[in-house]
Amino acid sequence: MDPSQDRPIDRLAATAALAAPAALAFAVLAAFDAVDWPWAALGALAATLGVAAVLRRQAAGRSRGDGVGGSATSPAGAAARAAALETLFDALPDALLLLGPDETIRRANAAARAIFGDTPVGMPLVAFMRDPGTLDAVTEALAGRAPEAVDAVIAGAVERALRVRAVPLPPDGVLLALTDVTAVRRAERMRRDFVANVSHELRTPLAALSGFIETLQGPAKDDAPARARFLGIMAQQSARMTRIVTDLLSLSKIEESEHTPPADRVDAARLVQTTIDALAPQARVKSATIRADIADGLPPVLGDADQLAQVAQNLIDNAIKYGRAGGTVTVRLARAVTLPAGFVARHGAYLALEVRDEGEGIAREHLPRLTERFYRVDAGRSRDMGGTGLGLAIVKHIVNRHRAALDVDSEPGKGTVFAVYLPVAE
Ligand code: ADP
């Protein structure tokens, strides 16, 4: 039983309790002969009836809902409740549209106005959404049925993917709830593309391997020179698969740590010099010269030494691979004087690591995509040189983790400069 409900027995007790002092007062007055007994009895009776009447009126008021406290159905209460609902409606992250029986928009919350602009109210829904699945769902919901959620795409400056639910809203309306799933769909597509790319990258060397195995088992079984040649190619192909898998693993490890910036103090000057020394044999193969231009007395940077070595190694390695045979690769490390446009600096000072080559350069349209996984300007050339197409993706993720910046500048025919800006450890 609802404890707030008013029971007659309770009201009787309350009446007795409240009327008792008045009745007692009359009794005292009569005892001291201030009033006559009949008048005192009459006074006590009047007080009791008065209290009972007040209590009954209050009880009736409570059951109508407009008691002393002032609640929902008083004009002020109703306005407060409407304002609270409006705030709630606007605060919900999904875009919500309230539709009338003629499918015009009666209300749109803040998220819906962000998608459809400020003036959807009063307009027919079809002016904003022509998607047949959505319109069918609205018709269904207006007929009182509960249709399944549908997917819709709305065009505009940015195309949005929406998950749409139409809910009947008695007596004659529909609530259309639109969840923005653009980011989810994009992530799904990226994952699919990535899996397709990895499979494609591994399929080529795998196909080569199984082809040569078959040949060695059959036609070339007793052909010693052919066997030696094929085994050489097979070794190359399996090394290639190993490189792809190693790069993929290192990429996923870096991604995992991307949200925790490294905190070690790293001597970047020494690290860069060590990397240059390690790449000397590669440079010799291309008759290239690596020129180190490392400023004296540089402060340490904030970083992860292994990862920073990988950045230097990938950039210098690319400069050798894609640079001019017999040319010079210049590796410069100095205090940064300027930072790339649009980079939000979170540290007071940066060192700039610049790797410059004299190669063919990269056409402008490729620059924004270079750090995508498996993106290559010239796939054949990259493969011939043992490239995996993952080197710059690894560089980008390490740079992100270090809250550092990466910049590329290239002039076709002249060469390319990759620059990394590393935060100085304060
Ligand atoms: P890859 O393993 O193919 O070298 P990267 O991710 O290191 O992969 O580089 C991606 C692509 O960017 C390369 O295939 C190449 O086309 C281009 N690229 C990278 N560095 C240079 C450079 N220094 N000069 C010209 N092109 C470059």
Side-chain angles (χ1 to χ4, degrees):
M1 187 189 204
D2 179 359
S4 70
Q5 218 167 20
D6 201 70
R7 291 183 304 168
I9 185 79
D10 292 341
R11 212 157 65 226
L12 210 64
T15 307
L18 289 171
L24 192 68
F26 279 114
V28 169
L29 288 174
F32 285 96
D33 283 333
V35 287
D36 290 332
W37 276 107
W39 287 114
L42 214 61
L45 185 67
T48 308
L49 288 177
V51 167
V54 168
L55 285 180
R56 198 169 47 240
R57 221 177 33 239
Q58 276 190 2
R62 260 200 308 281
S63 70
R64 274 203 318 274
D66 62 357
V68 187
S71 69
T73 51
S74 73
R81 209 170 69 163
L85 273 178
E86 197 67 36
T87 307
L88 180 69
F89 192 60
D90 268 346
L92 290 172
D94 281 357
L96 301 172
L97 296 173
L98 287 183
L99 306 177
D102 54 355
E103 304 189 7
T104 58
I105 299 170
R106 286 182 169 174
R107 245 156 209 273
N109 73 346
R113 293 194 301 271
I115 297 179
F116 300 111
D118 271 336
T119 51
V121 171
M123 303 276 283
L125 175 68
V126 281
F128 299 94
M129 294 192 73
R130 251 158 255 132
D131 171 68
T134 302
L135 299 176
D136 285 352
V138 169
T139 312
E140 285 266 298
L142 276 174
R145 292 185 287 272
E148 303 229 319
V150 293
D151 282 318
V153 172
I154 50 171
V158 272
E159 195 180 83
R160 285 176 204 259
L162 300 172
R163 188 86 183 135
V164 181
R165 272 163 303 142
V167 183
L169 210 62
D172 59 0
V174 165
L175 174 69
L176 203 60
L178 313 160
T179 311
D180 192 334
V181 291
T182 313
V184 181
R185 295 286 183 266
R186 194 185 306 131
E188 286 170 357
R189 194 171 52 241
M190 276 173 65
R191 193 185 49 79
R192 271 199 309 272
D193 288 353
F194 178 64
V195 172
N197 281 334
V198 172
S199 313
H200 176 78
E201 293 292 332
L202 291 175
R203 201 168 49 203
T204 319
L206 256 182
L209 277 179
S210 38
F212 285 120
I213 290 172
E214 262 175 45
T215 316
L216 286 175
Q217 283 172 332
K221 211 165 168 174
D222 305 313
D223 182 345
R227 202 163 55 213
R229 195 157 54 82
F230 292 164
L231 283 174
I233 301 173
M234 289 167 75
Q236 265 176 19
Q237 295 300 331
S238 81
R240 174 173 167 63
M241 285 171 40
T242 306
R243 271 199 309 277
I244 293 173
V245 172
T246 308
D247 277 0
L248 284 173
L249 285 177
S250 108
L251 197 54
S252 97
K253 224 166 79 191
I254 297 159
E255 272 186 310
E256 233 169 69
S257 67
E258 207 163 312
H259 297 291
T260 49
D264 292 343
R265 297 162 74 87
V266 178
D267 181 350
R270 217 184 62 194
L271 180 143
V272 169
Q273 187 59 59
T274 311
T275 311
I276 291 173
D277 296 343
L279 285 169
Q282 258 111 305
R284 251 196 312 277
V285 171
K286 290 251 323 197
S287 318
T289 312
I290 308 180
R291 198 165 71 83
D293 176 6
I294 299 174
D296 286 329
L298 290 174
V301 296
L302 207 55
D304 173 316
D306 288 344
Q307 293 189 348
L308 290 181
Q310 204 168 2
V311 167
Q313 140 113 29
N314 289 2
L315 294 181
I316 300 171
D317 186 41
N318 276 352
I320 297 170
K321 279 194 304 192
Y322 302 107
R324 185 166 62 84
T328 302
V329 171
T330 309
V331 182
R332 194 170 162 263
L333 183 69
R335 281 182 177 276
V337 184
T338 54
L339 292 171
F343 174 61
V344 183
R346 295 181 220 199
H347 295 267
Y350 289 79
L351 295 192
L353 167 66
E354 269 177 27
V355 180
R356 179 186 302 268
D357 66 54
E358 300 169 343
E360 282 168 27
I362 305 164
R364 189 146 295 278
E365 68 265 25
H366 295 292
L367 295 182
R369 301 196 56 190
L370 288 181
T371 57
E372 286 176 23
R373 285 152 206 220
F374 300 117
Y375 188 85
R376 298 165 171 111
V377 176
D378 179 343
R381 186 160 174 218
S382 156
R383 287 205 187 91
D384 289 347
M385 290 196 264
T388 59
L390 294 169
L392 290 178
I394 290 175
V395 167
K396 190 191 83 178
H397 282 281
I398 294 178
V399 162
N400 286 351
R401 179 177 178 223
H402 281 71
R403 313 294 186 251
L406 175 68
D407 203 14
V408 201
D409 195 12
S410 188
E411 206 179 321
K414 289 251 173 80
T416 306
V417 188
F418 279 88
V420 175
Y421 298 85
L422 301 166
V424 166
E426 349 241 299

